[in-house]
Amino acid sequence: MDFNINIMIMSGVEDGTLLDYKTTRGDGETTIDKWTLSIGRRDENDLCLRNDTYVSRQHANLHWKNEAWWLEDCESTNGTFMSNPDNFFEDTPVKGIIPISEGQLFRVGRTWLRIQLVE
Amino acid sequence: MPTIALKDILINARQEAYRMRHFYLGAEHLFIAMLDIKGSIAGSILQEQGLKPEYVIDAIRRKVGKGSKNRLWAGIPNTPRAEVLLGIANDLALENGREEINERDLLIALLEEEDSIPIRVLKALSLPDMQILAEIARTYTLNRDSQRPYVKVDFGPEFERAETLSKDHLFILRRMFYGYAQIRVERQLTGGYTKATLLAVTPIDGDNRPHATVVVKIDDHDTILDEAQRYESYVKGLLPALTARLEDKPVAPETSDMAAIKYTLVSGYDQIPHDLRAIVKEWDAQKLGQWIKNELYPAFGRIWWQQNRPFRFQVWREYDWLLPPVLTLEYTKDKALPNNGHVLKFPVKRARLHELEYGDMVSVENFTVQRVYPERSAIQLAISQGTESIAAYKIEVRGVDLSKDTFYRGEVVDSIVGRVYKTRNEQLIHAMRALSPDFDTAGEKIASGNDLIEKLPNPIIAYEEMLDRYVNGSLSTIHGDLHLGNIMIGPNNSAFLIDFAHTRDGHTAFDWATLEVSLLSEVVMPAAGESWDDARTVLRYLIPFNGKQPLPNTHPKIATALETIQYVRDIAQECLASHESWAEYFTALALCSLRALTWGTMPIASRRLMFYVAALSMHELRTRFRPTSETDTPSPEETDITGRSTLL
């Protein structure tokens, strides 16, 4: 289960930043059945959003499991959201763990992110 | 006009970043900065696509949200994406042999890059193809209006000269019918109780051939552009084949606060459409009622009103927005709330609102900005519940210096402090005073002037407890403003609807109660007269009418006029959640008639009747159509919108 993934920051002061994660480099956390990328404001997170005060210290996780991507909200204060195809201005809150596909936008605190490229 | 230089855009963009407390310079600030400059290519292109720059700016601000007050870094750095955009723009400038980036370069860069927030907003506002827009931007020349052929405006014989159109109206009409040689304004339609102008217009081409007559609505630009969005998302595709359609983009010129949309009546080729408000003077009560039941209701019923899903709601959620603002506040900028000040937040305790008096300091927390009124230096806040046309607990804040403080529609304001200037009850009392009542209106009960029911609840007091009640009702797609002015009669007496600004999923009875109020005003009250005594005469008929008992025979004209209402009641009954349970209908009727009290554009005679209709409906809810006690228990979802207050 070796792969590279890119995540692009889609809003805020770091808008346009492309982040690159490689399992071969030891990024993220690999267990028997899944690979996990942690997202939060604290430095220990794989994806650290220190400039967004609406992001919790440990905010969300992105999992690769059963050949699919999953987004998990870690009971964050301000929530994790998916873009809502029916209403652009009312994002859909993520409760628990939900499936997410490549190219789909999701929001952690105030920051929008997108899984860009999976190899 | 010379193309705007990058430095002017950057100055504007930094100001925007400061106003929004972002402290970085991103694609959104660059785009807003361009739109903010009068005569920009970006603004002009959007207008040709039917979007007004201010509207797009609000939508971008709303999507991004204001930043927090704490700055985490020094200066105003460019975002990586802004750097990329400026790089692309720089290449474009060099390709064209220029050293300096101009507006066109930056606009093309934004449209081609396609991934930034402002472009995502444009896509959500149904502008899908950015590459086509980029092509337009490459060759766009400003001031194209002056090169356009002049569209001659003529007036039909039915158009009354007294209803002259303003310069703005004519400008918008010419822009809308660009490409035709001439238009003929056939007649002004009566419309509703707002300031919108509705015209039946026949375009005529270069060969002097008239095309199908259309209905044009001209109103302030926010209202028009919202309606166009609402039509796209809630109405299009749902409408029956024969109905008014919005086929073109709205027209929203930069030089005017107004905008316009055009309803095409699909089969209207040889006949000028009339609205029902004009027809009531020609048709008798029977014919009118039958038409409503046999043409209007079946044409839209199947896809709309007959959906009839069970819907249990607390009255304020569906009806509070009809009433005047709960509070009008005088803005006190940067003042902290004193110890004896009041905090207003969801869930609102209405009893607390009652204690407020002129001059009290109030902090309103986590309310959403519904409207910004630059001409009055005011904003309107409310608790919003998903769909934007419904917003409970409106609060108006006056005295806001909008050149210093930015507020945008959809913004959730953490806290805004102001001094009480007016309460809702004062507004209702004021509206009542304008009708010169000949009886005491201060008490909880009012004299009805007849012996059938001696005392009625005073509606301007009794509405309060109604708002907290729970109602078991019916939910369906509703028009949202079903008065006579929005119902059109086309060829072969077919039914059309216009004005979809409030179309939504809502309480089904609301549409029929709105229509009843409109008929009471236009058909029933004119059959009685204008005075308070005349209103009381109608009341004497309404009491047995509600109870399905024989009517008196003193005023046959009133009895005849009420036959029309009977048809509406028959339809309303079909739309009730349970066929004999009228509580939901009288709840709707009570609040629709109470709202009409405050309409300056409704004749005084009709508003007098509305007072009694509201009073009688509330009486019926307390006696004849009392909701069952089971409906009074609070539901578990009562506080379900408390939890999302810290976010957009």
Side-chain angles (χ1 to χ4, degrees), chain B residues 532-546:
Chain B
W532 278 107
D533 278 333
D534 297 329
R536 283 187 284 267
T537 307
V538 177
L539 177 66
R540 203 167 298 138
Y541 274 79
L542 286 173
I543 294 167
F545 181 78
N546 284 350

Side-chain angles (χ1 to χ4, degrees), chain B residues 43-330:
Chain B
S44 307
I45 289 180
L46 286 188
Q47 268 167 52
E48 288 186 5
Q49 301 294 322
L51 284 171
K52 212 173 168 71
E54 288 91 331
Y55 192 81
V56 177
I57 291 175
D58 264 8
I60 297 171
R61 286 176 178 162
R62 182 169 172 200
K63 189 64 190 174
V64 180
K66 268 184 196 160
S68 70
K69 280 174 184 149
N70 316 323
R71 295 185 65 159
L72 297 174
W73 55 83
I76 295 204
N78 291 351
T79 65
R81 196 182 302 279
E83 290 289 352
V84 169
L85 292 169
L86 290 167
I88 301 173
N90 194 43
D91 291 347
L92 287 167
L94 291 174
E95 278 170 29
N96 288 293
R98 279 180 280 108
E99 303 240 316
E100 308 263 319
I101 299 173
N102 66 24
E103 188 218 348
R104 193 189 305 270
D105 303 325
L106 189 55
L107 178 61
I108 295 170
L110 269 155
L111 291 169
E112 288 192 336
E113 194 261 355
E114 230 182 324
D115 239 2
S116 62
I117 290 176
I119 302 307
R120 302 206 301 265
V121 170
L122 289 187
K123 287 179 181 174
L125 296 175
S126 30
L127 284 186
D129 200 326
M130 295 306 138
Q131 298 311 321
I132 289 178
L133 287 186
E135 273 318 302
I136 296 174
R138 278 178 201 281
T139 53
Y140 193 86
T141 39
L142 287 162
N143 296 334
R144 298 209 296 194
D145 270 350
S146 54
Q147 300 157 18
R148 287 183 169 187
Y150 190 78
V151 181
K152 188 167 174 277
V153 180
D154 198 5
F155 297 95
E158 282 188 64
F159 187 81
E160 285 173 32
R161 284 290 163 169
E163 308 159 323
T164 25
L165 300 171
S166 73
K167 261 189 174 167
D168 270 2
H169 286 132
L170 292 173
F171 179 74
I172 286 173
L173 285 172
R174 290 205 170 96
R175 166 88 61 107
M176 176 171 267
F177 293 98
Y178 165 72
Y180 287 97
Q182 186 186 338
I183 55 169
R184 189 169 60 229
V185 182
E186 306 286 2
R187 59 207 316 271
Q188 178 151 13
L189 305 172
T190 50
Y193 302 101
T194 61
K195 60 194 181 325
T197 303
L198 282 166
L199 301 166
V201 176
T202 309
I204 299 164
D205 65 22
D207 302 328
N208 221 2
R209 209 156 29 110
H211 289 227
T213 305
V214 296
V215 173
V216 176
K217 177 183 177 184
I218 307 175
D219 205 342
D220 72 74
H221 70 84
D222 276 349
T223 312
I224 293 286
L225 298 185
D226 277 353
E227 180 176 345
Q229 289 294 322
R230 189 160 285 274
Y231 180 84
E232 284 288 321
S233 38
Y234 297 97
V235 186
K236 201 179 176 180
L238 261 181
L239 282 180
L242 297 178
T243 183
R245 287 186 179 274
L246 296 176
E247 284 177 345
D248 296 327
K249 303 242 180 242
V251 171
E254 189 178 20
T255 46
S256 166
D257 292 335
M258 289 192 282
I261 38 174
K262 181 165 81 185
Y263 304 93
T264 310
L265 311 178
V266 173
S267 65
Y269 277 88
D270 49 352
Q271 203 179 331
I272 303 168
H274 282 64
D275 62 274
L276 210 51
R277 210 154 162 215
I279 295 284
V280 294
K281 296 183 185 82
E282 296 166 25
W283 288 5
D284 63 42
Q286 276 284 345
K287 188 174 178 189
L288 181 63
Q290 278 171 358
W291 185 86
I292 292 171
K293 197 172 176 195
N294 300 331
E295 293 290 336
L296 175 68
Y297 181 57
F300 296 87
R302 203 168 311 142
I303 50 136
W304 278 9
W305 303 302
Q306 287 166 9
Q307 291 171 355
N308 206 340
R309 288 164 270 164
F311 179 41
R312 181 180 158 82
F313 61 95
Q314 207 172 3
V315 174
W316 67 263
R317 285 181 187 264
E318 282 288 305
Y319 289 99
D320 186 89
W321 69 282
L322 296 180
L323 303 174
V326 281
L327 279 180
T328 306
L329 300 178
E330 199 66 65

